[in-house]
Amino acid sequence: MAEEEYGSFVDWNQMGDLAKSSGPTKVDCKDLKEFKKMARLGYWAKNHKLRAQVYEQLIKTIPCRTVTPDAEVYRDIMGNAGTKKPSSNIPLPEFVDGNALPLYCLKAEAVTSAHQIINCVAGQFPDISHCPSLPAITSMLLHFSKDEAQCFELVSRILACNEPGKRLLDQTFLAFESSCMTFGDLAIKYCPASHKLIVATAQDALEVYTDWQRWVLFDLPFSHMVRVLDVYLVEGYKVLFRMAIALLKFYRKHKAEAQGGEGSQPQDSGKVRSDIQAFIKGIASTVTPEKLLEKAFSIRMLSRKEITLLQLTNEKSLQQKGITVKQKRRNVQLALNPDTFSSEIVSAKEMRDIWSWIPERFALCQPQLLFTTSNHGCSLNRFYQHCEGYEPTLLLIRTTDGDVCGAFLSTDWQERKRGGNKLSFFGTGECFVFRMKPEMEHFEWVVIRHPELASSSNTQSQEEPASSEDQNSEYNGLQQPEKPAGDLSPFLSARHFNLTSKNTSMFMAGNFDSIIVGGGDGNALYIDSELNHGRAGRCATFDNPPLCAESFQVALLETWGFQDAMAS
C-alpha cells in the first residue's frame, strides 16, 4: 500500500473509503487565506499520505518555546526496545481526567504506542496539570505519523505553542473550566433554541456543557473528526467551539424530529449527556462531514477575539472564587435549590429560566434576596442601601395588572454616584431586559443581535451632559461618565466598540428620584422614587417592545444578588 510510510499504526480494514487515496498528491500554497480555504474544502481529504505531510508542515510552523522536545528526545528516552508492555500496564497520566484513548481506526497494538507517547509527554511537560483532550489529539496524530517519535514531536509542538493570544489545547483546570463556561455563553448567543432545549431537559446546563470538547474530539466518527482536524491545525482553537455549536444545533433538530412537536421532559443531566453522546457517535447516518463544516462556518460574527475576551472574563471569575485546580468532582452547577428559594414574584422554575440567560460564570452563584418592597418598603433610598456593593443584580417587577418583567444589571448601583447630581448611564453590554408574563422573552444589547452597529475598537467614550428637558422627559441625552478601563468587564463593555450611536449603549441609570434601565429613543423601564409608579417602552439599547403596560403601578419589586455557592 502506498500509505505504509504514514499508516503503520492504522487498521486499514476499518477505514472504508478513506483507505483509497485519490486526488492531489502535493500542496503548493504559502498564502494563509488560501490554505484556510483549501482546508475547509478538503483539498487533501482523500489522500492519506498528503494529509500526513500537510499536518507535519502545519505543526512544524507553530511558534514554540525555545526548548521543545523533538523526536530525538523521544528516542533517547524510550530507546529502541522491541518488546512493549500491554497498554493496560501503562496507565495514562492523571491530567487526562480519566479519558480513555479513542481508537479512531488504529490497530490494537497502536494503543500501547499512544500510551507510551502520552506518558513521555507528561515527563517532558511537568507544567501540564489538566489536559483531557490529549488522548484524542495523540490518537489522531498517530494515524499520520511515521513512528512514535514523530508523533511525540508533533504533540509536543502543539503543547509548546507560545504564539501570543493563541491556544491549541487547554493544559490547566482553570483553562478547561473557563472554556466550558465560555461555550455556555456562546451557546446562549449563537444557538438560543438549542440552549433552551438543554435548559428545559437537563437539571444542570453547565454540567452538560462540560462535555463540549468531548463531543468534537472523542465522540465524532473518524471521518468527521479528521475533517475537523484539517481546519483545526490551520485555524486553531476557535474551530472546536464552532464545531461544538454546530453539533448542538444538529442535536436540537434531531430531538425536534424525534419528538414530533411534543414538549421535552426534564431529566437527569447525566441522561442528557449520554443522549447527546449517542447522537454524535451515530451522526454519520444523517450528517456528512461536509455538512458539519458548512454548519459550523455559517455561524456569523463568532471571532477569536470574542472567545478570548470571554475566556479571560470566565478565568478571572474562577480565580476570584479560588477555583484554579481540579476539585474532586465538586461540580459547578446552576445552583438554584427549589426547596430553599422563595420569591413572591417568580417561581423556582421561572427563576431557572431567567438563570439560563445570564452569563455562565454566574451559574456558580446562588440567588440572594437583597431587597423587596414587601419587607423593606417602597423607598428608592432603601433600595440603594440594600443593593449597593452587589454586582451583578437581578431586578424583578410585578405590576398590579399581573405582568412580570425585569432586568439583569451588570454593574453595582453605586456607580451612579460618579455622575454627581446628573443622571448618568453606566453598565456593560451584558445587561438585558426581559418579561415573564404574559409571555417569556428576553432582549439583549442590540449590538449582540446586530453586530453591524459596532466595530471592534478601543475608542474613548464621549460625555454628553443631560439637559433638564431630557431629564424631565425620556432621558435620552444622559451623560455616560468616564470610567477607568480596568473597572469594566472586558466582555461587551461599551468602550470596546466603535458605536454608530451613543443611544445604543445606555444600560442603567439612577439618582435620588428614579431608576432607569435602557435608553435611547425611550426607556425600557423607568421607576419613580416611591417604587410605586413606572413606565415601560421601547429603547434603542435593547431594541425591545414595551415589557408591560406603558404606564403601570408596581405591586411588588425585588432585587436579587449572586451569592458565591463555593464559599461555604
Side-chain angles (χ1 to χ4, degrees):
M1 180 175 289
E3 316 299 350
E4 285 180 359
E5 184 183 7
Y6 287 96
S8 60
F9 299 100
V10 179
D11 183 347
W12 292 98
N13 293 325
Q14 298 184 47
M15 291 287 282
D17 292 340
L18 290 175
K20 304 170 186 177
S21 288
S22 60
T25 57
K26 65 177 183 177
V27 175
D28 292 319
C29 178
K30 301 296 181 183
D31 181 69
L32 180 60
K33 287 186 178 179
E34 185 64 25
F35 219 87
K36 183 187 295 186
K37 182 179 178 181
M38 295 169 74
R40 292 188 183 185
L41 293 175
Y43 182 83
W44 50 80
K46 294 183 178 181
N47 189 311
H48 185 92
K49 183 175 181 179
L50 179 60
R51 180 179 255 147
Q53 292 170 340
V54 169
Y55 285 2
E56 182 179 4
Q57 175 187 340
L58 287 170
I59 294 173
K60 285 194 172 182
T61 62
I62 295 174
C64 292
R65 305 171 190 169
T66 304
V67 180
T68 298
D70 58 13
E72 290 305 315
V73 170
Y74 184 84
R75 293 188 183 102
D76 288 343
I77 294 171
M78 303 304 295
N80 294 308
T83 58
K84 298 176 181 178
K85 300 176 184 178
S87 62
S88 59
N89 294 334
I90 312 174
L92 291 176
E94 191 174 330
F95 63 62
V96 304
D97 198 28
N99 284 330
L101 188 90
L103 292 179
Y104 283 139
C105 306
L106 292 174
K107 296 176 181 176
E109 56 267 29
V111 175
T112 304
S113 297
H115 278 232
Q116 290 190 153
I117 292 166
I118 294 171
N119 277 282
C120 192
V121 165
Q124 294 299 303
F125 290 84
D127 52 328
I128 297 178
S129 58
H130 193 81
C131 192
S133 298
L134 188 58
I137 294 297
T138 303
S139 177
M140 288 300 298
L141 292 179
L142 193 59
H143 239 278
F144 302 97
S145 299
K146 298 176 182 178
D147 53 30
E148 291 179 11
Q150 186 192 21
C151 182
F152 169 82
E153 180 174 330
L154 297 178
V155 171
S156 295
R157 291 193 66 83
I158 287 176
L159 292 170
C161 173
N162 65 354
E163 182 178 340
K166 184 175 182 178
R167 67 200 296 173
L168 291 170
L169 284 180
D170 295 327
Q171 299 178 42
T172 66
F173 181 71
L174 179 64
F176 172 77
E177 194 72 6
S178 67
S179 79
C180 297
M181 295 165 68
T182 296
F183 179 78
D185 289 325
L186 296 174
I188 293 172
K189 178 177 177 181
Y190 292 104
C191 49
S194 304
H195 176 69
K196 186 176 179 180
L197 171 67
I198 298 301
V199 170
T201 55
Q203 294 175 347
D204 183 357
L206 186 55
E207 183 182 345
V208 173
Y209 292 152
T210 58
D211 287 339
W212 79 273
Q213 290 189 30
R214 166 172 281 280
W215 299 343
V216 181
L217 298 175
F218 289 84
D219 296 336
L220 278 176
F222 176 79
S223 57
H224 292 62
M225 174 53 200
V226 74
R227 291 290 289 116
V228 173
L229 193 62
D230 288 343
V231 289
Y232 164 75
L233 291 177
V234 177
E235 302 186 44
Y237 192 64
K238 71 174 183 180
V239 167
L240 302 183
F241 283 104
R242 282 187 173 274
M243 296 300 162
I245 291 172
L247 290 171
L248 193 59
K249 288 186 174 187
F250 280 123
Y251 173 71
R252 186 197 70 82
K253 181 180 178 183
H254 161 74
K255 295 300 288 185
E257 292 172 351
Q259 292 166 356
E262 295 181 9
S264 302
Q265 296 298 318
Q267 54 187 303
D268 179 72
S269 298
K271 292 182 179 178
V272 176
R273 294 169 70 182
S274 297
D275 191 43
I276 295 175
Q277 184 180 36
F279 165 73
I280 295 173
K281 285 186 174 182
I283 199 171
S285 63
T286 55
V287 180
T288 64
E290 291 69 31
K291 193 173 180 181
L292 174 62
L293 264 65
E294 180 184 355
K295 175 71 76 174
F297 290 109
S298 68
I299 303 168
R300 298 182 63 240
M301 305 307 294
L302 174 56
S303 67
R304 180 187 295 181
K305 180 175 182 180
E306 178 181 10
I307 292 170
T308 301
L309 289 173
L310 276 169
Q311 289 269 124
L312 291 172
T313 303
N314 288 324
E315 283 187 9
K316 183 178 179 181
S317 173
L318 288 166
Q319 286 173 325
Q320 289 173 343
K321 298 174 188 305
I323 303 171
T324 58
V325 297
K326 176 77 174 178
Q327 299 181 7
K328 294 296 181 181
R329 291 300 171 196
R330 187 179 179 184
N331 288 332
V332 176
Q333 298 187 2
L334 190 66
L336 181 61
N337 186 340
D339 297 327
T340 59
F341 172 76
S342 178
S343 166
E344 296 180 72
I345 298 179
V346 295
S347 65
K349 170 64 171 64
E350 288 170 327
M351 191 60 128
R352 275 191 179 275
D353 291 332
I354 296 170
W355 227 246
S356 73
W357 298 328
I358 66 173
E360 283 288 346
R361 63 185 180 279
F362 297 117
L364 293 162
C365 304
Q366 295 220 30
Q368 175 187 6
L369 184 61
L370 304 177
F371 174 86
T372 170
T373 50
S374 65
N375 293 339
H376 303 112
C378 298
S379 164
L380 182 58
N381 187 44
R382 282 196 290 274
F383 169 87
Y384 287 138
Q385 288 175 359
H386 285 272
C387 296
E388 286 178 3
Y390 292 90
E391 179 180 288
T393 55
L394 187 70
L395 178 69
L396 297 176
I397 299 168
R398 188 178 76 224
T399 71
T400 53
D401 293 331
D403 294 332
V404 173
C405 59
F408 173 81
L409 304 169
S410 66
T411 306
D412 190 340
W413 277 106
Q414 193 162 323
E415 289 295 306
R416 77 189 190 284
K417 297 177 181 177
R418 295 203 178 201
N421 294 325
K422 297 177 181 178
L423 270 168
S424 302
F425 277 107
F426 54 96
T428 75
E430 288 187 315
C431 295
F432 62 81
V433 295
F434 58 88
R435 60 186 176 197
M436 303 300 291
K437 296 176 182 177
E439 58 185 42
M440 186 174 69
E441 194 170 6
H442 81 295
F443 305 92
E444 299 174 299
W445 184 25
V446 66
V447 173
I448 296 178
R449 284 175 286 152
H450 301 285
E452 66 274 10
L453 295 175
S455 59
S456 180
S457 177
N458 204 19
T459 55
Q460 196 75 7
S461 62
Q462 297 180 354
E463 294 187 2
E464 183 175 329
S467 67
S468 58
E469 292 181 1
D470 286 335
Q471 290 188 29
N472 291 330
S473 57
E474 298 297 340
Y475 307 96
N476 293 333
L478 299 184
Q479 177 188 16
Q480 271 193 290
E482 192 68 52
K483 186 174 182 181
D487 289 354
L488 289 167
S489 165
F491 178 58
L492 296 180
S493 56
R495 68 168 57 249
H496 284 289
F497 299 87
N498 184 17
L499 299 173
T500 57
S501 169
K502 61 179 173 33
N503 288 352
T504 58
S505 60
M506 296 178 171
F507 303 112
M508 51 193 291
N511 64 2
F512 62 92
D513 66 1
S514 65
I515 55 174
I516 296 169
V517 179
D521 302 324
N523 304 123
L525 288 170
Y526 166 88
I527 309 293
D528 68 9
S529 61
E530 296 179 349
L531 305 183
N532 188 20
H533 290 91
R535 296 196 298 271
R538 300 178 182 273
C539 77
T541 296
F542 299 112
D543 190 25
N544 60 285
L547 302 176
C548 58
E550 294 191 7
S551 179
F552 63 87
Q553 188 168 352
V554 177
L556 193 62
L557 182 148
E558 294 177 350
T559 302
W560 293 79
F562 294 75
Q563 185 177 32
D564 186 358
M566 306 295 285
S568 57

